[in-house]
Amino acid sequence: MKLQEHKATLSFSNGAPSVELPIYSGTVGPDVIDIRKLYAQTGMFTYDPGFLSTASCQSSITYIDGDKGELLYRGYPIEQLATQCDYLETCYLLLYGELPNAAQKVDFTRRVTLHTMVHEQMQFFLRGFRRDAHPMAVLTGLVGAMSAFYHDSTDINNPQHREIAAIRLIAKMPTLVAMAYKYGIGQPYIYPRNDLSYAGNFLRMMFATPCEEYQVNPVLERAMDRIFTLHADHEQNASTSTVRLCGSSGTNPFAAIAAGVACLWGPAHGGANEACLNMLEDIQAMGGVAKIGEFIAKVKDKSSGVRLMGFGHRVYKNYDPRAKLMQETCNEVLGELGLENDPLFALAKKLEQIALEDDYFVQRKLYPNVDFYSGIVQRAIGIPVSLFTGIFALARTVGWIAQLNEMLADPEYKIGRPRQLYTGAARRDVLPIEQR
């Protein structure tokens, strides 16, 4: 970041002396006012619930311009990465800062591939969960437990440990997600195959059985790879901030990533695509396309409590660039599987059309977001709704690791310690119990 020559001046109407605060600029995006010495100078904190106007760190990984609908990984537009690179190339970019050349791609792919198996004891660990447990509950436990199985790479201050932990997490997450799915439906686990792509291997572990050979459909393989790429990182969102805050205490990488998985589970974050599909199924149960008008009327009525899931975004005030790419993939997958006329997908298309044409949604810039389309694609592939967030966590793992490593390498990083505005009781004395 670059220190600007001009400064911000904070003045007070009560006659207290003004305070000058430094201003820093990044490569692109808004400047920041440095308030690190504000408390020492004034005895006051800033108040910013939800961190709507607070930059908690400096980062060179991902940049979002919500007004323009722009998403960059290390400076590369997501549109180019999703169409010209695969997920493991994107992983390399996020971890190391540059896209790999041919030799680097081969080496990185080999390193990830050789770590896709998990310790056999993980199978017995899984048995402690109920079969009907939510996959995210299972995944949170499995990721956290990796520090018990791979304790040779848990020193967060050792760059070599962080490197091997990164490779292990990227490699093993598809295996763990597939194991959680298989456990829930009572099927045997399928071991990874080293001759398949990252996305192809995941599809095989999900849907193959020992009864017959499984052939990876290249259209579905590309779709999964694109889902992974589009969800690989997304700046300082709730789960990424959680990973950074957790890692700032010095905990091991597996524990920090498990914290991110737990945060991602929320319906306002990674669970949004699950909530979107549940919404579509509710409308279908009401009567389907014929009832869309009635549903939309409820959405517009704030007193109804009905929300339109899968539309709009906290950051994007324009069309989510990932949604355009996911829309293309959605049409490809539905066409490949002959599902263009499936009632639920027809309902989704009609809802999309209304939201894009209705002035109520257009004026509020409630465009379909990536969750709307990715949920439809995953359901078409055969992935249960309850596993959507698990796949999101799989894809986002590399972003979390890259952000964690960047924080640990920052000489300015300290353990996270947000302040508060206390509104409880002032100091008071405890009375004897008979006087209370």
Side-chain angles (χ1 to χ4, degrees), residues 18-52:
S18 298
V19 176
E20 286 195 337
L21 301 169
I23 297 176
Y24 289 94
S25 295
T27 308
V28 289
D31 292 347
V32 299
I33 300 171
D34 186 351
I35 60 168
R36 284 175 289 183
K37 296 182 180 179
L38 181 67
Y39 178 62
Q41 292 175 309
T42 67
M44 289 187 287
F45 304 137
T46 56
Y47 181 64
D48 186 20
F51 306 106
L52 297 179

Side-chain angles (χ1 to χ4, degrees), residues 222-242:
R222 284 197 305 273
M224 285 308 310
D225 191 86
R226 178 167 287 189
I227 287 173
F228 295 159
T229 298
L230 296 181
H231 289 85
D233 196 54
H234 209 239
E235 214 199 64
Q236 305 308 314
N237 52 73
S239 58
T240 298
S241 299
T242 297

Side-chain angles (χ1 to χ4, degrees), residues 82-158:
T83 55
Q84 300 178 41
C85 301
D86 63 27
Y87 177 66
L88 286 183
E89 287 179 88
T90 304
C91 288
Y92 188 98
L93 170 67
L94 292 173
L95 287 175
Y96 304 115
E98 297 293 343
L99 285 168
N101 59 32
Q104 289 168 334
K105 180 181 177 180
V106 169
D107 177 67
F108 182 72
T109 301
R110 180 187 62 81
R111 284 193 289 152
V112 170
T113 301
L114 294 179
H115 280 283
T116 50
M117 286 186 66
V118 299
H119 197 289
E120 282 291 286
Q121 198 70 19
M122 297 278 291
Q123 295 187 28
F124 302 104
F125 181 76
L126 256 174
R127 293 179 187 176
F129 294 100
R130 287 173 48 133
R131 292 276 181 180
D132 60 353
H134 194 287
M136 284 299 282
V138 175
L139 198 59
T140 302
L142 290 177
V143 175
M146 286 179 71
S147 56
F149 289 94
Y150 305 104
H151 45 73
D152 61 335
S153 58
T154 55
D155 183 358
I156 206 165
N157 296 311
N158 186 323

Side-chain angles (χ1 to χ4, degrees), residues 201-237:
N201 196 24
F202 174 68
L203 288 171
R204 181 179 177 276
M205 288 190 291
M206 283 283 294
F207 301 118
T209 67
C211 307
E212 58 188 3
E213 188 58 36
Y214 177 83
Q215 295 293 326
V216 178
N217 184 315
V219 174
L220 305 190
E221 184 179 16
R222 284 197 305 273
M224 285 308 310
D225 191 86
R226 178 167 287 189
I227 287 173
F228 295 159
T229 298
L230 296 181
H231 289 85
D233 196 54
H234 209 239
E235 214 199 64
Q236 305 308 314
N237 52 73

